[in-house]
Every structure is written in C-alpha cells, then in structure tokens.
Amino acid sequence: MALIVQKYGGTSVGDTERIKNVAKRCIAAQKAGHDVVVVVSAMSGETNRLLKLVSQITDRPNEREQDVVVATGEQVSIGLVALAIQAQKRKAVSFLGHQVRITTDSTFSKARIKSIDAERIVDALKKKNIVVVAGFQGQDEQGNVTTLGRGGSDTTAVALAAALKADACEIYTDVDGVYTTDPNMVPAARKLERISYEEMLELASVGAKVLQIRSVEFAMKYKVPLWVKSSFTDDPGTLVCEEDAAMEDVLVSGIAYDKNEAKIAIRGVPDVPGVAAKIFGALDEQSIVVDLIVQNVSKDGRTDVTFTVGKADLTKAKDVVKKIAKAVKAEGVETDDQVSKVSIVGVGMRNHSGVAAKMFTVLAGAGVNVQMISTSEIKVSCVIHSNYTELAVRSLHTAFGLDKQEAAQESEVVSLKR
Amino acid sequence: MALIVQKYGGTSVGDTERIKNVAKRCIAAQKAGHDVVVVVSAMSGETNRLLKLVSQITDRPNEREQDVVVATGEQVSIGLVALAIQAQKRKAVSFLGHQVRITTDSTFSKARIKSIDAERIVDALKKKNIVVVAGFQGQDEQGNVTTLGRGGSDTTAVALAAALKADACEIYTDVDGVYTTDPNMVPAARKLERISYEEMLELASVGAKVLQIRSVEFAMKYKVPLWVKSSFTDDPGTLVCEEDAAMEDVLVSGIAYDKNEAKIAIRGVPDVPGVAAKIFGALDEQSIVVDLIVQNVSKDGRTDVTFTVGKADLTKAKDVVKKIAKAVKAEGVETDDQVSKVSIVGVGMRNHSGVAAKMFTVLAGAGVNVQMISTSEIKVSCVIHSNYTELAVRSLHTAFGLDKQEAAQESEVVSLKR
C-alpha cells in the first residue's frame, strides 16, 4: 500500500469524456491498493479563454485580480473530476489551494509555494476518499488568491508529494515520457527509462517543455520519485530520480534546443571594471531575463560582450542596451534573432573529458558554425544560426549514440530484405 | 457621504463591454462622494455553461462538488470588474465569499447566510478602494464552498448592506424597476415608485422574478432600503422600503401570475385525522414544494384535497400521491397542468374589506372560472385555467386602477386627432 500523487494536465482533462477517463485511472490506482491524491490543471484552452477576457478589459492587468480570474480554471476541473469519480461509485472530495493551505509568497502570477498543511488531505484519505486538489493555485499569508505560473500544477503535485511523503508522484501528460530529444524533429529519438533530476533540470531549462523547472527542483530537493507518463496509454513512462552509477556511464542523456532566443552583441566595449554590471543591471531592472553571456578577451583595451535574451524581449533589450552602449562609449550594438541554442546534457560528463570537443567536431563536420558557447558541469550549449537547428540536433543525436536501437535494427532488417 | 452596496446581475456583466459600463457606474457613485461596495453575478450564460459540464459528467451530482464548479462564475466576474475599475484609474479590490467570511450553513446549492465579517471590506474602503464582492457564494464552517441558489447574489448584496449598515442597497438588473404587473403581458403596466417589503415579498413569491425572495426577507428584517434599477438607463427605479400611510391608501399595488404550476386533486379522501399529514409529509420527504392547499368541507365522511406543485415536480408528486391515495382508500387522483395562479397584492387590503369579492366579480365578469382560492393578509390568489391568464391579469389590472396614467392620456390625444 503506497501513497501516490497523480497530476493530470490540461489535455488530459480537455473535455468531459477525458475527465471520465482520468477518473478511471485514479480508481484503478486506488483498486491496486494505493491512497490516491490527484492534482488537476484547467481544461485545455480554459486558461487562455480567461486571459483573453482579461485582455479585453485592460492591457496591463493588476496581477492580483488576474490571478482571481485564471484560478477558476482549476476549480472547475477539480469539481468535475470529483464528480466523475463519484459517478463511478468511489468516494472523492475536491480541495482548492486555500482549503489545504497551499501557502505561497505574494508574487502574483508566479508565486512560490512556502508551505502546505496536509492534515485535511490525510483526514480525507483516511475516509477512503480519492482526494482531488486544484493545481496552479494557492493563497498568500493575507488570504489572497495566487497562481504559480504556467505549468504550476506540476509544482503543486510535487510539493504535495513532498508534504505527504508520497511514495511516487506521477505526472500524466500528452507525451509518454522524456525523450533523448524532440521526437517531432528527430524520428530516431528514444524514450528514456530513467533520467536524473539534474539532467531533467538542464533539459527543462533549455527548452524541453515536459515538466516545469520548479517542479523538478522541488522533486530533487525532497527526493520525490517523479514519473512522466501518458494519460492516453499504459506505457510505464520515464522515471526522474537520483542519479546512480549506471547513469554515469552514459555520456550524453539528451539533446535539447531552443529556437526562442535572440542574440545581442555590444562591440568595442572599453574593458574597465563595472561596465558589465551596468549593462546587465539595466536589463534586470527592466525584468529582461538574460540567458548566455560571453565576453571575449580584450584587445587594445576594448572587448565584445555578447548575450542572448528571449525573442519577445529583443526590442526592449535593444533599447536598454543602446543607451548603455552610448553612455560607456562602446563602438556599436548588433542584434540577431535568427539564432538557436542547442545543448547536450548528461551527468556522465562530470567524469569524462572531451565531450565538448566532440560536440564541436560533430557540428563542424556537419558544416554548422558555432557562434557562442556556454558550459556547465553536465551541459554544453552552443548558439548557432537557426536554419541549422535540425541538422545540428540530428547529427549530435546520432554521434552521441542516442538513436533508437529498434530503428537501427529495423533498418538492418530492411537491408537484409533487399 | 453614504455607504452604498450595488449589485449587478448576469446581463449587466454579460460581456467585457458591459463590465466596463458597470465600472463606470461604480466610479460615478464614488465620485458622488459615496463609499461603494459592488456585488456581481456570473456573466450571463456562464452558470448554465458550468451546469452543462456537470450534467455531461453525471445525472445526480453531489452538490458540494457542483457548488465548487458553479461558484467559479462569480469569481471570474469580480476579477474582471475590479480590473475594469482599475483601468479607469480608480482603486479596486475583489473578494471571494470566503475572503470576507460569508459564512453559510452546509445546505449545498441553496445555503443560507449565517454571518458576515465585514472587517476586511471596511479596511479596503478606508483605503479608497471600490470593493468588489462575489455574489451567490460563501463557505460553511468546515471551509467548504457553498452557493446560495439562483438569484443568490441579491441576497449577498442585501446581507452585506445589513452587515455594513449601508445607507442603501441598489439592485441593478435588466428592467428599470418593479411594475404593477408583467409589462410584457400588460402594456398598461405602470412602474412603481415605491413598494413595501411585504408587498414585494408576496409579488416575488407569486412569480414576479425581479428579486430573490430571501433578499427581500433579509432587507425587511434589517430595514435595508432596497432600490431596483436598470443598469442600462438612469431611471430612478423602484424603492422597496417599510410601508407608510400613503401606501395603505392603495388597495392593490400589483398583480402577479405564475404559469409554472400544476394542480393535483385527491377525490373522496376519508375525513379522519392524520390523512393530510400523511400526504404532505410524503411529498416533503421527496423535497416536493407544495404551494396552495385547499380542502373542502366533508360530505358523507369524505372530502377532496387539492393542491398545487411546480410543473416540473408533477410526475414525481403524482407517483407519491397515488401510493398514499391507495393506502388511505381515497377514491381517486386527478391532475391538471393547464393551470395558472393569478394574485393581487397590496398592504391596503388589511384595512379594507371586499377586495377578494371584487377580484372574484371581475374574474366572473370576464368569464374566468376560479378553481382554487387562497388568501393571506395582503394577498388573494386564484388558480384558473392557464388559457385565461392574460385575460385575468389585464382585467384585474384595469379594475383595480393600476393602468398607466400616461397611457390613458396618450389614447385621449390620439382620439382628439381623429
């Protein structure tokens, strides 16, 4: 007998038929002898519908009030899921964020969970209920409704699993696990049986949108075993867990890409202390998130500073940077929104040298020019021209031995038949 | 400087343009020097949309979970109204039922308000906010979401006005006041400037759907002056208040009708103690609301018991009554769903005799057969064949002097021109 937290995303509860299917899955887990807590998102399209109403009222919504509006999406879902479970003759009860004291800070629209009081859930489980909890929402210490940002239901599920000391947290979504790379781009992409928290974190942060980053951080911090599964199949999915020896034997676990970046280069910046602080301080003041930063060694007392931002922030960032460039007497500002970031991720890198070098060799061999490079302990990222994204990802996927075994065997069989 | 509670119904917040208009009205009241609390309903159609989702899941929804779903309609409205006020450069803050401790009993889907803690609203008003409160919803003592039943937002508004000791409660709707009868049926219907709580109560209970009955009871109990106004015009509307001498001079203030009734007659019931208790006890067990009850004097130890129920309950009521009729050895059961109830209402009746007699004379003169009669201190109701509803209402309206003065004058003008 275990305690399992299941989380169903918007497509899994997209209509009332799918909601009945979710109810079936929850009941199956209970029949298998488990205590079941279910976290649900808003029905797909609902959050966007609500945000559209808000945008018809105002361009610059107060985030407290916007949270009041958008939090209703999950509220509708929990009621419907509880009703669907009851219609299948099992006990169920729904709870809103504030009813199980999911307490957050007051950063409306992207609040962070501070604490959860699991008592009411434990009581309801003791009475043989399947407990249905609204994802994405909480309340701050003044009792205001808060939301956790896009994908926040993942974080609700993991935080509940941690608070309840659950045996597992299962994230049900419309894909059947975590892949070595985007299967839409690379047909040979392989589903991973297991992946470490850190690798998942790097993959998530470089654009593999299976899980919200914060939920993975939470799972890592509280050592919650996290399963990514499909709500439409019975595939076992991918387990995100602590790394072990077997994982370290694999050099590269996955390849991610992000087409949503833009590059800004400030040419001929006087190489004196404090210039970088001025540039990135000014960007931070405008809430512009900077990703990669590269500064070359200086020449004749001047250097080039290059960095990337989200494409949506490019115009705003350019304005900020141009002012600073003038103030510090830099030679000029160049921007480029035709770039992509391609990253290889793997805990095995820690104990192996030459992984970055191999990446550059593979890219060079494919004729892909590398514009910027950034590395972490378990990741190497390269910024390249966006036209080469697919070529780069496919070449790296093959070179680092990630292509599907079955695919390879199948092609052999095909060869034999010829 | 006064404290005003305004309530806007579903059609008044039916789309984002109308919501902006509501914001304008709230701001106008604040600019006139008042503290303003606004209660809003769900956008028109929204509650039905949510109930449809529920019905797609199950025929017999658990009412706790249904309340969780339908309470979201008002939550969306308060966020949008607060945003619309802010977009017009005034301070606003929204509150859900539980956030201002609108505590109810646990009768889900038709809960009754037990108490309100107005402190948070008073604080927000002091900070110059227009305070926007969700109608229709509260929470019980265990912290469960409850709803107050159709029209419950009226009750929220009046209860808030009572708790805040407001100077007035203004109910904005899609009609511009309370009429002497349904203006769609009787073009000569006249808007009333004032009406007493008790008359309003009788009119509401006999089918004039301007205000929820409970809200009028609340207003009467706490002496809250209640204005019924249109949110689309600047008409002063109708004031519902305590009765005064002038009101008592008027014999009949209004005429109501209800086409939604059905009649059940049990013929030849043995006239022994306890039979009526058996019949109406059994109906009550099935939650069937009985309206008029008439029992004739007995003849040969047997009597006829006739009563009315809502048309929707007829089949269920018939089944119950047939069983009882058999058990008590009655002669038979007859039903008729082609009936209407027509009522005349007025506090002046208390001090005048002959009002009922005049009603019967008028109906007889128009050839309308009266099937059942029921009277209260300030009301006389007759059940008639539904085909005669319009004829009865129009005849009574003219006979009791309620026809529009203007209408009469207009027709004179027309005559002169000929």
Side-chain angles (χ1 to χ4, degrees), chain A residues 63 66-72 74 104-105 107-112 135-139 144-150 152 214:
Chain A
E63 289 182 328
Q66 179 169 294
D67 277 2
V68 168
V69 174
V70 296
T72 61
E74 281 68 22
T104 71
D105 60 21
T107 318
F108 296 108
S109 89
K110 40 183 183 289
R112 281 172 167 269
F136 182 63
Q137 58 172 239
Q139 73 173 358
N144 298 305
V145 177
T146 57
T147 69
L148 310 180
R150 286 266 164 178
R214 233 168 335 134

Side-chain angles (χ1 to χ4, degrees), chain B residues 122-183:
Chain B
V122 172
D123 279 354
L125 288 172
K126 275 187 195 150
K127 291 176 187 154
K128 300 292 162 209
N129 284 291
I130 294 177
V131 176
V132 188
V133 180
F136 181 64
Q137 60 173 238
Q139 73 173 359
D140 69 7
E141 273 159 6
Q142 288 72 49
N144 298 306
V145 176
T146 56
T147 69
L148 310 179
R150 286 265 166 180
S153 296
D154 292 348
T155 304
T156 304
V158 176
L160 275 174
L164 291 161
K165 300 190 175 52
D167 299 281
C169 180
E170 302 175 342
I171 307 288
Y172 286 89
T173 173
D174 48 3
V175 297
D176 61 359
V178 180
Y179 277 72
T180 50
T181 193
D182 179 0

Side-chain angles (χ1 to χ4, degrees), chain A residues 16-17 19-20 43 46 49-50 52-54 56-58 60-69 71-73 75-87 92-96 98-99 120 137 139 142-145, chain B residues 16-17 19-20 43 46 49-50 52-54 56-58 60-69 71-73 75-87 92-96 98-99 120 137 139 142-145:
Chain A
T16 47
E17 283 312 306
I19 285 173
K20 289 176 191 172
M43 295 170 78
E46 184 62 9
R49 183 184 75 87
L50 294 165
K52 194 177 161 199
L53 285 173
V54 168
Q56 284 170 359
I57 298 279
T58 176
R60 289 183 195 168
N62 171 300
E63 289 182 328
R64 179 194 184 276
E65 300 304 335
Q66 179 169 294
D67 277 2
V68 168
V69 174
T72 61
Q75 183 167 341
V76 170
S77 294
I78 58 169
L80 295 178
V81 169
L83 288 167
I85 294 169
Q86 291 166 348
V93 62
S94 74
F95 291 122
L96 293 162
H98 74 89
Q99 290 175 326
R120 215 168 160 187
Q137 58 172 239
Q139 73 173 358
Q142 288 73 49
N144 298 305
V145 177
Chain B
T16 47
E17 282 313 305
I19 285 173
K20 290 175 191 172
M43 296 169 77
E46 184 63 8
R49 183 184 75 87
L50 294 166
K52 195 178 159 198
L53 284 174
V54 168
Q56 284 170 359
I57 298 278
T58 176
R60 291 184 192 167
N62 171 300
E63 289 181 328
R64 178 194 186 274
E65 300 303 336
Q66 181 169 294
D67 277 1
V68 169
V69 175
T72 60
Q75 182 167 342
V76 171
S77 294
I78 57 168
L80 295 179
V81 169
L83 287 168
I85 294 168
Q86 291 166 348
V93 63
S94 75
F95 291 122
L96 293 162
H98 75 88
Q99 290 176 326
R120 214 169 160 185
Q137 60 173 238
Q139 73 173 359
Q142 288 72 49
N144 298 306
V145 176

